[in-house]
Amino acid sequence: MTFNPGEINKIPVLICKNFVSFPTTTGVIFAERAFSKNALKTSIDEYESYLIVATQKNENINSGFSLNDIEEIGCLCRVSNYTGDNTLRIRLIGIDRAKISSLIYDDVKNQYFVEFTTLPDILGDEKKEQILVKTIVETIANNAQFIISQAQSGVINKQLSVGMNALNLSYYLSNTLPFTVEQRIELLKASDVNERLEKLIVDIDALKKDFQIEQEIQNEIRKSTEKNQRDYILREKLNYIKKELDGDDGEDDDALLKKVESNPYPDYIKAKVKDELKRYNMMPQASLEASLIKSYIDILISLPWYQETKDNDDLNNVKRILDEDHYGLTKVKERIIEYLAVKKLTGNLKAPILCFYGPPGVGKTSLGRSIARALGRQFIKTSLGGISDESEIRGHRRTYVGSMPGRIIQGMRKAKSINPVFLLDEIDKLSSSYNGNPASALLEVLDPEQNFAFNDSYIEEPYDLSKVLFICTANYLGNIPEPLRDRLELIEVNSYTSIEKLHIAKEHLIKKEIAANGLKEDQLEFTDEAIYYIIGRYTREAGVRELERKISEICRKITVEIVTNKISDTVKIDVEKVKNYLGIELFDSTEKEKGSQVGVVTGLAYTEFGGDILPIEVTDFPGKGSLVLTGKLGDVMKESCSIALDYIKANASKYGIDDKIFTEKDIHIHFPEGAVPKDGPSAGCAITTAIVSCLTNTPVSGDIAMTGEVTLRGKAIPIGGLREKTLAALRSGIKTVLIPKDNMKNVKELPKEVQDNLNIIYMENVSEAIKICLNK
């Protein structure tokens, strides 16, 4: 394309913020707005990469431009190249100045066009031009350190050495020197080369003056700093004179040193405090560094380095306190008694690192507080849920502003003793990020062979954690990294049976809620039947949190009735009153399948929230022998379904199934509650039984549930979580439970309530389960 002077042309326009392009120079601009990207595309596709670069007057405008919104003079440019997707980086080569006469918006292409004429430059008096160029070159050479960087100075000198003419020099300097947008616009508008050179001299002089003003400000700051230093020296001399005259100015430091020396602090802490005090006294009192050093000394001294509480050695008393606070939990209580007994005989013993794991609401956190009360120790709790920064455990380095110790050291500072009970709650909820992995930092804390010299980044000195009784809590062990789990002494806190919940409610929850709601014990009485009814019809949980909330709700309603004078005597809560206060039952007496159904078998599942029943539904329909699986299944459960189907294919004649079914029909296996993720191999026997039931059209009783992994040979392999699974079966009204024979040893540990009320049948092979369920 050619653009002749005086000829009106129409091409796309790039409307820019704070950017001015000059002829004979190159520049880079970033385009984000849609109409700018469209203008670039049209320029490349239809106008041989030519476009006009125009500067908008108001940078806050982003759409609806008119001719008055852009500068009258722009630059005709050619696109050299561009990169990027959302934000385009465009390299432009300036061609000529352009006078814009109209701005046109294209609705279809969503872009702007301009009509313009090119403006040739006017060459003035040659002698004047030479003088102006010489003046500019000398000004830049003499003041380069004031107006441009060293790198820019080298580039400009290189360009000048190759003999650049006055026109190109004026454009080059206008584009290179750090002028404002307004100054650049005026330089571009100048049509006469000498006029542009004169403007450059004025603008360069302004740059020099700006730098001089900045230098004056820096000098004032330096003088102020020198004055502060002088004042500090004079203050130090004054302090010395006061000290010589028996002044009392150094009392605080002396008292601090006396406290450190007179108490059994470790030698390295005494030395550290002395060094930091020396640094503190050399700093200006009002400086940031001095306040940071003072805070560090205060934290160092306030930490317990030798203070220790005496343990309660009366084992009977410890057992009594533990029994007062929690019902059951025999294994946990035995472990604490064992620890105290061994410590009493040996005189010294490293504290164990305990981890209580189990479903929510079973008392893991409150158990830690109870242990501290029984031992007579301080109790500290920190929640680790959601922590993703290693510095939360190890602390921040003192070099950072606002740095502080990690949670371990902060907890020890609150405890004020070196042997507290330290509860690390929700240790399975830790996560990692670019800031490090907190679980890795805990390896040192929870290792008895290392934690005698724990290093916090803020304290910078080893701290002894070996006497701390660390207790961790978790819902699901699978979320704890293996190296960390290896350092923990795992104690399972199981789901509660209905009988255990009854005792907990009567001995703990009801008393607690009566006191919390301002009632007296003689004003409210719960019958056993009412408590059982709340457990069975209004809660469905492994722990007792929801049970506590329901009891609290009843207590609140009783309080309202007492305040409004509706009742005055003792209120006896029976089943009818429970219905009246709590409303419609949330759960049926059973969640098991109603009656006998074809292709429906009840499995048993174990989750981090306790046990649950798992209905499995199977149906067949005409197809090509495909297996359809639904219910948000994990890979292991999908494999279990495939294994079950392959076993049935291999043994079809044994169960009276026609082989043609596997080629002429599709089999669909569904696990209800499709939004809940499910995985694991323990439903294999139940899946196999459900498929056989469907293909033989034989119903299975809803009173039967089963659990067990199945192999391709039909063998029933043992599973985990038997206690939680059988409790879930009992809660749901199941009468008979089939389990692998190898799990017989685990039945002895089941609650008596489960053993008395469930008919537990052992199976070595899945065919035994099919025989029992289908009478085949």
Side-chain angles (χ1 to χ4, degrees):
M1 295 183 70
T2 58
F3 304 91
N4 299 316
E7 179 179 293
I8 297 177
N9 302 278
K10 179 182 176 182
I11 63 172
V13 60
L14 269 182
I15 301 176
C16 308
K17 295 181 181 180
N18 301 322
F19 180 80
V20 182
S21 184
F22 291 90
T24 73
T25 67
T26 60
V28 175
I29 187 172
F30 294 87
E32 291 183 343
R33 297 180 289 193
F35 58 80
S36 296
K37 296 178 183 179
N38 295 337
L40 175 66
K41 186 177 185 306
T42 303
S43 167
I44 295 173
D45 295 342
E46 302 176 20
Y47 293 90
E48 299 178 8
S49 298
Y50 288 99
L51 48 71
I52 294 293
V53 174
T55 307
Q56 64 184 75
K57 296 178 181 178
N58 185 350
E59 65 179 274
N60 295 321
I61 299 176
N62 289 303
S63 62
F65 289 94
S66 65
L67 184 62
N68 293 329
D69 295 325
I70 62 174
E71 297 291 346
E72 181 184 13
I73 306 298
C75 183
L76 174 64
C77 297
R78 191 165 191 176
V79 179
S80 172
N81 60 65
Y82 73 94
T83 58
D85 295 321
N86 295 327
T87 300
L88 303 181
R89 183 180 186 276
I90 308 169
R91 180 175 290 277
L92 301 168
I93 301 175
I95 305 298
D96 210 344
R97 296 187 310 125
K99 182 175 182 180
I100 301 170
S101 56
S102 66
L103 179 67
I104 305 157
Y105 178 67
D106 189 332
D107 289 321
V108 177
K109 293 185 176 182
N110 183 24
Q111 68 174 85
Y112 290 90
F113 290 82
V114 291
E115 291 183 346
F116 72 99
T117 55
T118 56
L119 295 176
D121 289 281
I122 300 172
L123 299 176
D125 180 72
E126 185 176 353
K127 188 171 183 180
K128 182 180 180 181
E129 177 183 294
Q130 292 174 353
I131 295 173
L132 290 171
V133 169
K134 181 180 178 182
T135 302
I136 290 175
V137 171
E138 289 176 354
T139 302
I140 292 176
N142 295 332
N143 301 284
Q145 72 275 19
F146 299 144
I147 57 178
I148 52 177
S149 66
Q150 186 174 356
Q152 287 179 315
S153 176
V155 173
I156 291 174
N157 289 332
K158 183 178 180 181
Q159 294 291 337
L160 294 176
S161 66
V162 298
M164 183 183 293
N165 61 44
L167 175 63
N168 290 345
L169 176 66
S170 68
Y171 283 137
Y172 178 77
L173 294 178
S174 299
N175 186 61
T176 304
L177 294 178
F179 297 136
T180 65
V181 174
E182 291 74 18
Q183 289 174 321
R184 292 175 187 270
I185 291 293
E186 292 302 317
L187 290 169
L188 183 64
K189 287 181 178 179
S191 57
D192 187 285
V193 176
N194 287 347
E195 179 188 355
R196 188 178 301 117
L197 292 172
E198 289 173 350
K199 286 180 180 292
L200 279 170
I201 293 173
V202 174
D203 292 340
I204 291 172
D205 186 64
L207 288 176
K208 178 182 175 183
K209 290 179 179 178
D210 289 342
F211 180 83
Q212 289 173 340
I213 293 173
E214 186 176 347
Q215 284 290 94
E216 289 175 3
I217 294 173
Q218 292 294 333
N219 290 336
E220 290 295 325
I221 294 174
R222 188 181 70 254
K223 289 178 182 178
S224 177
T225 304
E226 291 174 352
K227 182 179 182 300
N228 291 337
Q229 185 69 17
R230 177 177 174 274
D231 292 343
Y232 168 71
I233 294 172
L234 291 175
R235 276 196 302 269
E236 289 300 303
K237 288 183 177 179
L238 183 61
N239 290 339
Y240 181 79
I241 293 171
K242 286 182 178 181
K243 186 176 180 180
E244 290 296 315
L245 296 173
D246 296 325
D248 205 24
D249 211 54
E251 183 179 353
D252 289 342
D253 290 353
D254 291 341
L256 195 62
L257 289 172
K258 184 177 179 181
K259 177 182 178 181
V260 172
E261 290 294 343
S262 61
N263 288 300
Y265 285 94
D267 291 338
Y268 57 87
I269 294 301
K270 293 180 179 179
K272 186 73 172 179
V273 171
K274 292 176 182 177
D275 290 343
E276 293 297 323
L277 278 175
K278 288 180 182 178
R279 289 184 59 212
Y280 174 72
N281 290 324
M282 293 175 63
M283 295 286 176
Q285 297 297 310
S287 67
L288 176 63
E289 183 71 14
S291 64
L292 294 177
I293 294 174
K294 190 68 169 66
S295 297
Y296 174 72
I297 294 173
D298 291 342
I299 291 175
L300 208 60
I301 295 298
S302 63
L303 276 173
W305 295 96
Y306 58 88
Q307 299 90 335
E308 184 175 358
T309 58
K310 186 178 180 181
D311 283 345
N312 180 6
D313 291 332
D314 187 345
L315 301 187
N316 292 325
N317 187 39
V318 171
K319 187 176 185 305
R320 179 186 59 79
I321 294 174
L322 291 174
D323 289 337
E324 280 180 4
D325 292 346
H326 290 83
Y327 178 83
L329 304 177
T330 306
K331 289 185 179 179
V332 180
K333 296 174 181 177
E334 286 179 353
R335 183 63 185 90
I336 299 302
I337 298 297
E338 290 168 2
Y339 165 68
L340 287 175
V342 175
K343 182 174 181 292
K344 188 173 183 179
L345 288 180
T346 60
N348 188 21
L349 179 67
K350 289 182 179 178
I353 312 295
L354 306 179
C355 178
F356 302 151
Y357 70 96
V362 294
K364 299 184 295 297
T365 303
S366 61
L367 188 57
R369 185 176 285 103
S370 177
I371 291 172
R373 189 168 80 92
L375 296 178
R377 295 190 181 190
Q378 297 294 324
F379 177 73
I380 297 297
K381 172 184 173 292
T382 185
S383 179
L384 302 180
I387 290 180
S388 58
D389 188 349
E390 182 183 345
S391 299
E392 290 284 341
I393 306 298
R394 290 189 183 276
H396 304 79
R397 294 188 181 278
R398 291 171 57 199
T399 52
Y400 301 113
V401 176
S403 58
M404 63 181 69
R407 295 199 179 197
I408 303 299
I409 294 298
Q410 289 184 39
M412 296 302 297
R413 190 182 178 196
K414 292 177 184 176
K416 301 186 183 304
S417 68
I418 60 173
N419 64 334
V421 174
F422 204 126
L423 183 74
L424 301 173
D425 205 16
E426 308 289 1
I427 197 170
D428 58 329
K429 307 298 189 301
L430 288 169
S431 59
S432 60
S433 68
Y434 64 91
N435 289 321
N437 188 350
S440 300
L442 282 175
L443 295 178
E444 181 182 2
V445 176
L446 300 179
D447 190 342
E449 301 300 323
Q450 299 183 50
N451 64 7
F452 64 89
F454 171 67
N455 282 294
D456 185 276
S457 299
Y458 182 86
I459 299 300
E460 298 177 344
E461 297 293 338
Y463 189 84
D464 187 3
L465 296 173
S466 62
K467 294 185 178 181
V468 179
L469 176 55
F470 283 105
I471 298 176
C472 306
T473 70
N475 295 130
Y476 185 56
L477 290 181
N479 293 337
I480 304 176
E482 184 62 34
L484 182 57
R485 196 189 322 164
D486 183 59
R487 287 163 167 77
L488 306 175
E489 183 176 336
L490 302 174
I491 300 177
E492 185 175 8
V493 184
N494 295 305
S495 307
Y496 293 124
T497 66
S498 296
I499 294 177
E500 289 174 329
K501 289 181 181 180
L502 173 68
H503 284 283
I504 292 170
K506 292 173 66 175
E507 297 174 18
H508 300 283
L509 302 183
I510 294 176
K511 293 179 182 179
K512 176 183 175 183
E513 293 304 324
I514 285 176
N517 288 279
L519 299 173
K520 298 178 181 177
E521 290 192 20
D522 59 355
Q523 290 180 299
L524 190 60
E525 180 184 346
F526 282 80
T527 66
D528 290 357
E529 292 76 13
I531 298 173
Y532 274 127
Y533 197 78
I534 297 173
I535 294 169
R537 297 300 184 94
Y538 293 94
T539 68
R540 188 74 72 187
E541 58 180 343
V544 292
R545 282 199 180 121
E546 188 62 26
L547 175 60
E548 182 177 2
R549 282 190 281 267
K550 294 303 178 184
I551 293 173
S552 177
E553 183 177 347
I554 292 175
C555 290
R556 291 196 303 270
K557 294 184 185 299
I558 295 296
T559 302
V560 172
E561 293 183 357
I562 291 175
V563 172
T564 56
N565 298 318
K566 290 184 179 181
I567 57 174
S568 57
D569 298 331
T570 300
V571 180
K572 188 173 185 179
I573 304 297
D574 55 18
V575 172
E576 289 303 318
K577 281 192 170 61
V578 169
K579 293 179 182 179
N580 183 40
Y581 288 130
L582 298 183
I584 300 173
E585 297 94 333
L586 301 179
F587 303 98
D588 293 333
S589 59
T590 175
E591 284 190 342
K592 67 184 179 62
E593 295 297 325
K594 305 295 190 297
S596 299
Q597 299 185 52
V598 174
V600 179
V601 173
T602 302
L604 297 173
Y606 175 49
T607 71
E608 56 186 295
F609 304 109
D612 202 357
I613 64 170
L614 182 67
I616 301 169
E617 302 173 350
V618 179
T619 187
D620 62 335
F621 47 88
K624 298 181 180 179
S626 300
L627 177 62
V628 182
L629 304 175
T630 54
K632 202 170 185 180
L633 310 183
D635 292 338
V636 176
M637 186 166 274
K638 290 177 182 178
E639 291 174 359
S640 294
C641 295
S642 299
I643 292 170
L645 182 59
D646 290 344
Y647 166 77
I648 295 170
K649 287 180 180 178
N651 297 272
S653 59
K654 178 178 179 180
Y655 300 113
I657 301 173
D658 190 351
D659 289 339
K660 294 181 180 179
I661 289 179
F662 302 113
T663 57
E664 297 175 354
K665 289 189 176 184
D666 290 346
I667 297 175
H668 185 166
I669 305 177
H670 176 63
F671 297 79
E673 298 186 23
V676 180
K678 307 169 190 72
D679 205 0
S682 64
C685 290
I687 296 169
T688 306
T689 305
I691 296 174
V692 173
S693 170
C694 173
L695 298 183
T696 60
N697 198 32
T698 306
V700 177
S701 172
D703 291 330
I704 299 177
M706 66 184 72
T707 181
E709 181 180 352
V710 70
T711 69
L712 283 173
R713 295 172 294 159
K715 185 177 179 181
I717 298 178
I719 45 81
L722 185 62
R723 175 189 169 96
E724 282 70 21
K725 291 178 180 180
T726 53
L727 282 172
L730 186 62
R731 281 199 306 266
S732 300
I734 299 295
K735 305 298 183 184
T736 302
V737 173
L738 282 70
I739 66 172
K741 189 174 182 180
D742 289 340
N743 280 114
M744 186 184 295
K745 59 182 180 294
N746 304 112
V747 174
K748 298 177 183 178
E749 298 180 356
L750 295 179
K752 186 176 184 301
E753 181 184 1
V754 172
Q755 297 185 46
D756 292 344
N757 293 281
L758 281 182
N759 178 24
I760 300 176
I761 301 176
Y762 306 105
M763 56 179 173
E764 291 188 37
N765 195 286
V766 71
S767 60
E768 298 174 19
I770 296 173
K771 181 179 179 181
I772 293 170
C773 295
L774 279 65
N775 294 320
K776 285 187 176 291

